[in-house]
Amino acid sequence: MSDSLLADAGRRLDAARPEARISEEALARLSQPRSSLKVSIPVRMDNGTLKVFPGYRVRHNSTRGPAKGGIRFHPRVDMDETITLAYWMTFKTAIMDLPFGGGKGGVTVDPKTLSMAELERLSRGYVAAVADAIGPDTDIPAPDVATNELVMGWMADEYAKIHRRSVPAVITGKPLALGGIPGRSSATSDGALHVIRELGATLTGGAEEPRVAIQGFGNAGAQLAQSLADDNYRVVAVSDSSAAVHDPEGLDITALRKHKSETGSLADPPSGSELDDPEELLILEVELLVPAALEGAIHEGNADRIQARTIVEVANGPVTSAADEILDEAGVKVVPDILANAGGVTVSWYEWVQNRQGDRWTEATVRSRLRERMVNQTQQVRALSREREVPLRTAAWILALERLGEAMDATGNERTFRSGSS
Ligand code: NAD
């Protein structure tokens, strides 16, 4: 990943900055991560050899509370990507008004090449390497791309062994039996669904059975495909890293999920047919296009061919800032990632609260509290977008910036100290 990912993220802040009430010194504090740790993780492989994997943990900001953010296992992971993802988390937790800052971690690895035992050793090795940097009051990891509740379970167990006590609140997205919370695995897609429902016809133009294309058929994308299909949307295309599947009449999402869980990929699908070029999914004529895979899917080179009415960013950073300008000009709405995919971190907050209270929340409580918060924050972003006449993304960044600025200035800023009075 090049330097441009972080620079690109900074352009979103630049767009919101003239409209936001925030001091220059708060902006200066936000421009750099508070700490960035690079580690190496030696792992004994099944064939007896030793491999050393690079790992990262970044705490971007913790003014509003302990840093919060997932752990990614992917060959593209590097320090620039991890800092950028941590930076986005600072704004995501602020926009949802959670008592957290932003953090992120990852390991540069292709997890598909590891056996289950190697994956466990790598997960435990990662925690051993960053154990001093994470904790329930400092920095709380969670799942991200290619990590799941099994991995979180190993990591929580390793942390408990290192500290010789159970500390379930150190990590979220754990298996239910180890202090996880019901509804966490579908929280990101549930959150996106609440945002889509709340913005309603603004996004779909009032189409009776709005057409949807989803790039990325993993934890977030596949569940959202199912929920939208159940909600009278017509999911006409989905893709993963191996294939893109299309049926203009609507795909059988249940059959595709079963196929993916049995074979590990969407290739040779039981419903629809494979597109020759998977990238074609992005330019189909649909009401909603949902990028739910990786960063930078929609860029300067393909933005002018997008035919969707609205893009709902379920992945983090799937639309570059250059593409944003082209889409804005063409009248394509974008529901920004820091709002659209914030359901996951919101339910992670509930899990952390539950663990700290030594309580067990019911699924009904989790679902109703998630819905309430997603709807409430979406309404605030929409109101600000109308009031200041800015796109939803800029409105989301303004709201987050103002909350962060207020927290940073609460311990005084230049004006406080110059005036000498409290
Ligand atoms: P995942 O690993 O479960 O799924 C990723 C999916 O994307 C896989 O199906 C993979 O095959 C597919 N993919 C990868 N490259 C692709 C390509 N070029 N074209 C099409 N598909 C491709 O990951 P996830 O947890 O679903 O996360 C997906 C995105 O959502 C990431 O950007 C992540 O940061 C973001 N996100 C996830 C959560 C969460 O709770 N899982 C929360 C917030 C944001």
Side-chain angles (χ1 to χ4, degrees), residues 9-337:
R11 279 185 212 111
R12 268 53 192 271
L13 190 151
D14 292 341
R17 185 182 170 152
E19 285 284 335
R21 287 180 290 266
I22 182 165
S23 64
E24 283 302 316
E25 61 185 62
L27 285 169
R29 284 162 72 172
L30 286 168
S31 69
Q32 300 294 326
R34 284 305 294 268
S35 70
S36 37
L37 177 65
K38 178 163 190 234
V39 296
S40 58
I41 310 157
V43 175
R44 182 67 60 195
M45 307 305 279
D46 293 346
N47 66 4
T49 60
L50 186 90
K51 269 197 186 166
V52 182
F53 296 92
Y56 307 87
R57 188 72 203 171
V58 171
R59 199 183 311 172
H60 175 257
N61 191 274
S62 25
T63 309
R64 289 171 46 90
K68 185 88 192 78
I71 297 169
R72 177 175 290 198
F73 284 178
H74 194 272
R76 252 171 53 177
V77 167
D78 62 12
M79 186 55 97
D80 179 57
E81 182 186 69
T82 312
I83 292 175
T84 311
L85 290 164
Y87 176 88
W88 277 321
M89 286 306 296
T90 297
F91 293 91
K92 197 184 297 182
T93 55
I95 199 173
M96 295 311 291
D97 206 9
L98 309 181
F100 288 136
K104 205 80 184 190
V107 177
T108 315
V109 59
D110 181 355
K112 286 184 188 150
T113 63
L114 302 182
S115 71
M116 207 52 150
E118 289 166 346
L119 185 64
E120 178 179 5
R121 290 195 283 274
L122 177 65
S123 304
R124 290 183 181 278
Y126 176 80
V127 167
V130 303
D132 294 329
I134 61 173
D137 298 310
T138 47
D139 182 359
I140 307 138
D144 190 68
V145 171
T147 55
N148 54 20
E149 54 175 47
L150 180 63
V151 173
M152 297 304 112
W154 288 328
M155 290 185 170
D157 184 54
E158 190 64 24
Y159 190 85
K161 278 187 183 157
I162 291 166
H163 290 270
R164 300 182 72 80
R165 64 196 166 94
S166 165
V167 194
V170 67
I171 202 156
T172 59
K174 299 179 294 296
L176 261 186
L178 297 180
I181 196 161
R184 174 60 184 87
S185 63
S186 62
T188 301
S189 60
D190 291 345
L193 189 68
H194 294 312
V195 175
I196 293 170
R197 281 184 180 155
E198 183 57 29
L199 296 173
T202 333
L203 307 187
T204 60
E208 236 173 61
E209 199 192 357
R211 293 161 297 174
V212 188
I214 301 182
Q215 183 200 45
F217 204 63
N219 176 30
Q223 303 216 36
L224 184 59
Q226 186 77 67
S227 304
L228 288 170
D230 294 346
D231 218 28
N232 204 33
Y233 284 76
R234 188 165 13 130
V235 182
V236 297
V238 296
S239 67
D240 67 5
S241 53
S242 59
V245 187
H246 180 227
D247 183 348
E249 297 307 316
L251 293 163
D252 180 344
I253 300 301
T254 310
L256 288 171
R257 288 181 81 189
K258 184 163 176 277
H259 177 72
K260 169 105 183 168
S261 79
E262 284 168 3
T263 67
S265 97
L266 282 173
D268 301 319
S271 163
S273 49
E274 280 184 45
L275 290 170
D276 291 338
D277 176 6
E279 294 291 296
E280 269 180 60
L281 174 143
L282 299 171
I283 55 171
L284 291 173
E285 195 187 325
V286 288
E287 274 69 44
L288 297 187
L289 171 62
V290 182
L294 293 172
E295 304 88 25
I298 299 163
H299 45 78
E300 215 170 353
N302 60 11
D304 61 347
R305 288 183 290 140
I306 301 286
Q307 301 192 71
R309 186 185 171 90
T310 299
I311 295 173
V312 182
E313 292 186 319
V314 165
N316 284 306
V319 177
T320 66
S321 61
D324 249 354
E325 284 176 28
I326 299 168
L327 295 167
D328 199 33
E329 198 113 305
V332 179
K333 277 198 172 9
V334 178
V335 183
D337 45 9

